[in-house]
Amino acid sequence: MSVATIALRAPLVLVPGLGLDDQLRKKAESSAGLPPDVSQIVHDLNELEGGAAVSVSPANGKYKPSLLVHTRAYRVRLEVTNRGTGYFVKHIDPLRLADHARLARSCLLVRPPAWRMVFELRAVPEGSDAQWQDLEQAWRSLGQAQRQQRETPSFSEAQSEFLETVDRLIDATEEITTREEREAAPFPYQRLTTTGGKRSSAPQSVYEFHLIGRELPPTGAIVRLQGDTETRGKVNRAAGSSVTVRFDQPVSWERLPARGALELIPSNVIFNKQRQAVASLRTWGARNAGLLPAVVEHHVRTIPATTAQPHEP
């Protein structure tokens, strides 16, 4: 987690945006934790002794560059006024898991002398300053520090050995669990039909294969025509002496031999996902940068004390 504390020189003044009261009333009907009215916002912000957790949200098609300011139960989106004297409160939303995940990666702890609210733009006190440039610069510096940390990581010997062991474990598990599929005999078929009952020259995705013998590939197995790497499909149904296969891509009737064989394809999706996870740990791309030290060496971050209290018993 990357955190930077910024103490501002002047209070921050908020102005409720148009329709904020109605927005708050509607959202409060379905979401707990929202303030009873907009004036409560500055009270809740001023109660945050350590400062308000803030992230800078870039401009998109819906919003201008803005601040996402978090209380203990909800967040507000603030857009700087044209003259840079304060902020319009554009939106208010309850805290979601995505907010917690974003704050866990990085945030600013913003500590103005006070948070204040006026209810129309002309009531903003003369000389007020949103200090937007200071906040934007602090956010950029925080991002640069994060990138530098990622560019110069170092693994302990124990961490390197752990990752190599996991790599070998994935390879061995794949070898063992897919051996039966790789060594399985093909399933010869004597004829095939389209599931709709009508033969067509147009490519189709689903065909029924009438097999020779009693052995059938299991339902859900990944198969292909023997020797044809581009006819990958999944067995949707296996009953009697026939199997129904849905191919990943439509296949023309002319391409399918009248007599041939199906063969099993070992699925490596799970193992590839596991390798991707190990690769993200090697490049420090995991969302939780403390995961590897915690798992290997049992090093965990100290959980800071909080004055937060539950809203409900």
Side-chain angles (χ1 to χ4, degrees):
M1 179 178 181
S2 297
V3 180
T5 301
I6 176 168
L8 300 177
R9 62 184 181 278
L12 294 182
V13 182
L14 310 185
V15 182
L18 294 175
L20 188 65
D21 282 308
D22 291 338
Q23 178 191 145
L24 180 56
R25 277 195 296 271
K26 290 178 181 177
K27 291 182 178 180
E29 293 175 358
S30 58
S31 300
L34 294 177
D37 55 69
V38 295
S39 62
Q40 181 71 24
I41 295 173
V42 291
H43 175 270
D44 292 341
L45 290 172
N46 285 321
E47 287 291 305
L48 300 174
E49 297 178 0
V54 174
S55 61
V56 176
S57 177
N60 54 39
K62 189 175 181 181
Y63 300 109
K64 298 178 181 178
S66 50
L67 301 179
L68 296 179
V69 182
H70 304 75
T71 70
R72 295 190 178 102
Y74 59 90
R75 76 170 197 201
V76 291
R77 181 181 291 271
L78 307 181
E79 287 184 3
V80 67
T81 61
N82 291 336
R83 296 177 57 194
T85 55
Y87 291 93
F88 291 115
V89 183
K90 303 295 289 187
H91 271 271
I92 181 168
D93 295 287
L95 286 184
R96 307 293 188 192
L97 289 177
D99 298 307
H100 290 286
R102 184 178 57 254
L103 293 175
R105 292 192 294 272
S106 63
C107 71
L108 299 174
L109 283 180
V110 177
R111 298 176 179 174
W115 297 85
R116 295 175 181 168
M117 179 173 284
V118 296
F119 291 90
E120 53 183 357
L121 185 58
R122 62 183 179 182
V124 175
E126 191 68 28
S128 296
D129 186 358
Q131 299 158 92
W132 166 258
Q133 290 81 6
D134 296 336
L135 292 168
E136 196 174 33
Q137 179 58 47
W139 183 254
R140 280 198 298 267
S141 299
L142 183 62
Q144 291 170 358
Q146 279 186 300
R147 287 190 291 274
Q148 289 173 358
Q149 289 175 1
R150 291 172 184 160
E151 289 170 0
T152 58
S154 59
F155 292 110
S156 68
E157 184 176 347
Q159 291 169 359
S160 296
E161 290 179 358
F162 173 80
L163 294 175
E164 290 173 4
T165 300
V166 174
D167 275 335
R168 292 195 299 271
L169 178 61
I170 295 171
D171 292 341
T173 305
E174 181 178 18
E175 169 68 23
I176 294 168
T177 58
T178 63
R179 181 180 300 157
E180 183 177 344
E181 293 173 327
R182 287 183 286 106
E183 296 178 353
F187 302 91
Y189 64 87
Q190 57 186 341
R191 63 188 178 92
L192 71 155
T193 58
T194 59
T195 54
K198 292 184 179 180
R199 178 174 168 177
S200 171
S201 59
Q204 299 185 55
S205 297
V206 184
Y207 290 88
E208 185 174 2
F209 294 83
H210 299 268
L211 305 184
I212 301 171
R214 297 182 178 180
E215 292 293 328
L216 301 179
T219 301
I222 306 300
V223 297
R224 68 185 176 196
L225 291 178
Q226 189 175 23
D228 190 340
T229 59
E230 297 182 5
T231 54
R232 183 182 184 276
K234 182 178 182 180
V235 176
N236 282 357
R237 179 177 174 273
S241 61
S242 65
V243 295
T244 302
V245 176
R246 177 177 291 276
F247 291 103
D248 293 350
Q249 300 295 331
V251 182
S252 66
W253 178 273
E254 289 75 14
R255 178 168 183 170
L256 300 174
R259 297 172 66 91
L262 298 173
E263 61 183 1
L264 294 174
I265 305 175
S267 176
N268 58 4
V269 173
I270 293 175
F271 306 106
N272 286 341
K273 289 293 184 183
Q274 291 172 343
R275 292 185 179 100
Q276 290 175 14
V278 175
S280 70
L281 289 172
R282 274 204 171 89
T283 59
W284 296 97
R287 288 192 173 185
N288 183 354
L291 179 60
L292 190 59
V295 170
V296 177
E297 296 147 334
H298 310 297
H299 293 167
V300 295
R301 293 194 303 265
T302 302
I303 299 176
T306 178
T307 58
Q309 296 294 323
H311 285 268
E312 298 179 5

